[in-house]
Amino acid sequence: MESLGREDIERLMFFEQAREQAEREFKANNKDALALTKWGGALLELAHFRQGAEAYEMIEEAIGKFEQALALDAARHDALWCLGNAFTSQGFLSAEAASAGRYFDKAGECFRKAVDLEPANDTYRRALEMSSKAPQLYNELQRQLQAAGAAESSPRAAEPRSASKQKPSGSSEFWYDVAGWACLVGIVFGVAALSRTAAASGPSA
């Protein structure tokens, strides 16, 4: 994990605490679909602080929590929305366009179901609208990454460049730019909202 700024460290601590709290809630009541949804949401956000296979494995774990929540409560629209975000993240992390497309299709179906259950929810409707643009964005990002790779491997890449012309590179910047498009802000809002819902409603029966 690369060195983090204070803001990122605070976010990391917040979501790690959210994950631990959700895990405790689920252990206290293994029928609590909300706890599973919060658990998965925290894992999905924590994946932003991982790289490569570690990030992908954490997303897979989050998907398992969302699917488990939906097995308990198929009408859990927030779990569907989070699951759609997870599939979107997997799509952007895929090396092949065909594989990415399958994940984007899964994401779109999750968002569509969430909208069907909560038609007035603007967040779900925006997610559904944006999911249709994911393949185009994926292709553009792949094109830019290939161009950047070609530029770095050329003889001119060794020449000094002014700071104004340099662009940040590395997997962390790519992750925040791409995966964050779908779920970075959304999961922050979503986990916080889920926590408030849990506090207001009290422990599940």
Side-chain angles (χ1 to χ4, degrees):
M1 187 185 299
E2 298 177 5
S3 60
L4 301 173
R6 193 180 80 175
E7 207 172 290
D8 284 334
I9 291 173
E10 289 175 354
R11 286 170 50 77
L12 178 62
M13 291 176 61
F14 172 81
F15 286 106
E16 183 56 38
Q17 291 170 0
R19 182 197 65 75
E20 292 173 355
Q21 177 62 30
E23 185 175 0
R24 286 193 295 268
E25 290 173 5
F26 182 70
K27 285 181 177 178
N29 176 11
N30 63 8
K31 302 295 183 184
D32 191 345
L34 174 59
L36 283 166
T37 303
K38 290 192 292 181
W39 190 350
L43 286 169
L44 186 56
E45 181 61 31
L46 287 169
H48 286 79
F49 298 94
R50 304 297 192 273
Q51 297 179 12
E54 194 177 358
Y56 196 87
E57 287 170 6
M58 190 164 280
I59 295 171
E60 285 283 320
E61 188 179 354
I63 286 173
K65 302 305 177 190
F66 299 140
E67 290 179 337
Q68 196 175 349
L70 290 165
L72 290 171
D73 182 1
R76 183 104 233 158
H77 49 80
D78 46 8
L80 283 164
W81 173 70
C82 287
L83 182 58
N85 283 321
F87 284 140
T88 300
S89 296
Q90 281 189 318
F92 280 121
L93 288 174
S94 296
E96 301 292 333
S99 176
R102 287 191 291 272
Y103 284 123
F104 294 145
D105 287 344
K106 288 182 179 181
E109 184 61 26
C110 290
F111 294 140
R112 191 171 296 107
K113 288 179 179 178
V115 170
D116 288 343
L117 289 167
E118 257 322 87
N121 190 306
D122 288 339
T123 299
Y124 298 168
R125 288 193 283 107
R126 281 197 301 270
L128 178 58
E129 179 184 353
M130 290 299 290
S131 70
S132 66
K133 302 175 182 178
Q136 179 182 352
L137 179 57
Y138 173 88
N139 290 333
E140 176 61 20
L141 285 167
Q142 291 300 311
R143 186 189 67 76
Q144 291 183 15
L145 286 171
Q146 290 172 5
E152 289 179 2
S153 63
S154 70
R156 292 181 61 85
E159 296 178 5
R161 289 176 293 176
S162 65
S164 62
K165 292 183 179 179
Q166 290 179 344
K167 293 184 179 180
S169 61
S171 58
S172 62
E173 286 85 357
F174 174 74
W175 174 254
Y176 276 99
D177 289 346
V178 177
W181 169 82
C183 64
L184 182 57
V185 175
I187 292 298
V188 171
F189 169 80
V191 172
L194 289 170
S195 298
R196 288 196 296 271
T197 300
S201 60
S204 301

